[in-house]
Amino acid sequence: MLGIRTKKGQETPSLLAWLSNVRYTLVGREADKGLLFKLFIYLILLDTAYIYLKPVLHMVTTMVKNADDLLDPAVKWFPRVIYLGNLQEAWEWLKYPKALAISLTLALSVALLQTVSCAVTGYAFARLKVPFKNLMFFFLLLTFIVPMQVTILPNIIYARELGLLNTIYPIIVPAFFGLGLKGALFVIIYRQFFSTQPKELEEAARIDGASVYKIFYKVMMPLAKPAILVVFLFSFIWTWNDFYLPSMYLADIETAPLSMGISRIASALRQQAEAYGPSVTDEAIRMATTFLMIIPPMILYTFTQRWFIEGVERTGLVE
């Protein structure tokens, strides 16, 4: 072996051993342990984070620019002056406190009702012996496949005959029965979760004299916390962002949910540009309205992300 001797006659580690150590450091003894692999993973993660964060950073930096910074091509990411006038104008145009209250009421009501009703339905499909259960599950899948645009006209007619147009009840009431936006998906999530639970739990509860209802609320629901959190967050976010259903049922109300308020502001800015010419602050106002809409879900996700990720893993959505 090649080696280098010191003055005292002691042989240093050979060049071959040194190269082997360098190789193991860079490549690793296993495919996912080397430095090059880790650098590649970090590069992919940074690129992915940049793709997702760039629109948010652009939105935030644009909405705090004044007219001079918006006109100056040299000002890209860091404005010279933090200007909150665009945010204040968007706040007033949206009627933000009232619109926020409507959006929160709508999203929380639908999320809570769907979380409970879809849990009952999913448990019945997973654990109970019900006649024609497979046929009913097939019809449930049809409600998931058929787009809501196909059935929206009869629903609007029924809501008008019942005097429920321009109210939030046509959106909330279906959630009480496990329907509504993505209701079939939530039933499938619960069914998947309850199907994986051991049957010995139910058998032990029946031996102790528990009824079906008690088994569901006392045994199964405490175990279903991951599924409950996933369904609640999905339902909340999708209802919060939904524009289609509020535009169908709440088209004539003065103070609309935030999802409709953004569309109304965009339409008003477009009409204003057609009548008086485009304004330099139009884009900043659009960014400010978008920021006001996404900040509540971002706050919610910030405090629940750890349990949400755990819930997604345990409910089988990643399989």
Side-chain angles (χ1 to χ4, degrees):
M1 295 175 63
L2 295 176
I4 302 175
R5 292 185 177 273
T6 61
K7 294 181 179 180
K8 296 181 178 181
Q10 296 177 347
E11 187 177 20
T12 62
S14 66
L15 179 61
L16 184 61
W18 180 79
L19 292 176
S20 179
N21 290 333
V22 172
R23 173 179 173 274
Y24 285 135
T25 302
L26 294 178
V27 181
R29 296 181 182 275
E30 298 180 7
D32 57 344
K33 301 298 183 181
L35 180 61
L36 293 178
F37 180 82
K38 293 180 180 179
L39 290 176
F40 175 75
I41 293 297
Y42 282 124
L43 179 63
I44 296 297
L45 291 176
L46 289 174
D47 289 342
T48 304
Y50 176 76
I51 292 172
Y52 283 100
L53 291 178
K54 181 182 177 181
V56 178
L57 296 176
H58 173 74
M59 174 184 63
V60 174
T61 55
T62 302
M63 76 177 187
V64 297
K65 291 179 182 178
N66 56 19
D68 294 335
D69 288 340
L70 290 170
L71 289 173
D72 191 350
V75 179
K76 180 67 175 177
W77 293 107
F78 301 100
R80 296 188 180 94
V81 179
I82 302 298
Y83 177 66
L84 300 179
N86 300 319
L87 194 62
Q88 181 180 0
E89 189 170 354
W91 182 287
E92 295 173 354
W93 279 30
L94 282 172
K95 300 179 181 178
Y96 192 72
K98 293 182 179 180
L100 177 64
I102 294 176
S103 294
L104 283 176
T105 301
L106 191 61
L108 285 174
S109 300
V110 172
L112 290 173
L113 290 174
Q114 281 189 325
T115 300
V116 176
S117 60
C118 293
V120 176
T121 308
Y123 177 75
F125 278 121
R127 313 296 279 192
L128 300 183
K129 296 180 180 180
V130 182
F132 307 106
K133 184 172 68 173
N134 293 332
L135 179 62
M136 288 187 288
F137 188 72
F138 172 75
F139 289 142
L140 176 72
L141 293 178
L142 286 182
T143 65
F144 178 68
I145 297 172
V146 176
M148 67 177 66
Q149 289 82 357
V150 176
T151 59
I152 190 63
L153 183 58
N155 291 332
I156 292 176
I157 295 174
Y158 294 149
R160 183 183 61 188
E161 292 178 351
L162 295 174
L164 299 178
L165 279 181
N166 298 316
T167 67
I168 61 177
Y169 297 111
I171 303 175
I172 293 178
V173 171
F176 180 78
F177 299 98
L179 300 175
L181 189 65
K182 305 293 190 300
L185 175 61
F186 302 146
V187 173
I188 295 172
I189 291 175
Y190 276 118
R191 178 180 178 271
Q192 172 69 17
F193 181 83
F194 288 130
S195 298
T196 60
Q197 301 306 308
K199 296 182 179 180
E200 290 77 10
L201 294 174
E202 292 177 305
E203 294 174 355
R206 290 194 184 95
I207 292 174
D208 292 337
S211 63
V212 175
Y213 304 102
K214 193 171 183 179
I215 293 174
F216 174 71
Y217 287 107
K218 296 293 185 179
V219 178
M220 289 300 178
M221 286 301 284
L223 296 175
K225 290 180 181 179
I228 291 173
L229 182 62
V230 169
V231 169
F232 177 83
L233 289 179
F234 275 161
S235 179
F236 181 90
I237 297 300
W238 283 336
T239 306
W240 180 275
N241 294 330
D242 182 39
F243 169 78
Y244 183 74
L245 288 180
S247 66
M248 294 292 104
Y249 293 115
L250 307 175
D252 297 330
I253 65 173
E254 181 180 357
T255 303
L258 292 174
S259 58
M260 291 181 60
I262 291 180
S263 177
R264 290 183 176 182
I265 289 180
S267 178
L269 291 175
R270 185 168 56 253
Q271 293 176 1
Q272 181 177 318
E274 293 175 355
Y276 306 103
S279 174
V280 68
T281 60
D282 287 352
E283 186 65 20
I285 293 175
R286 291 191 184 95
M287 296 296 103
T289 56
T290 305
F291 175 80
L292 289 175
M293 175 161 181
I294 68 172
I295 194 64
M298 289 181 64
I299 294 174
L300 176 63
Y301 182 74
T302 299
F303 290 102
T304 59
Q305 59 173 330
R306 181 165 63 90
W307 298 281
F308 174 72
I309 295 173
E310 179 184 353
V312 169
E313 292 177 352
R314 295 187 60 184
T315 51
L317 291 181
V318 296
E319 295 180 359

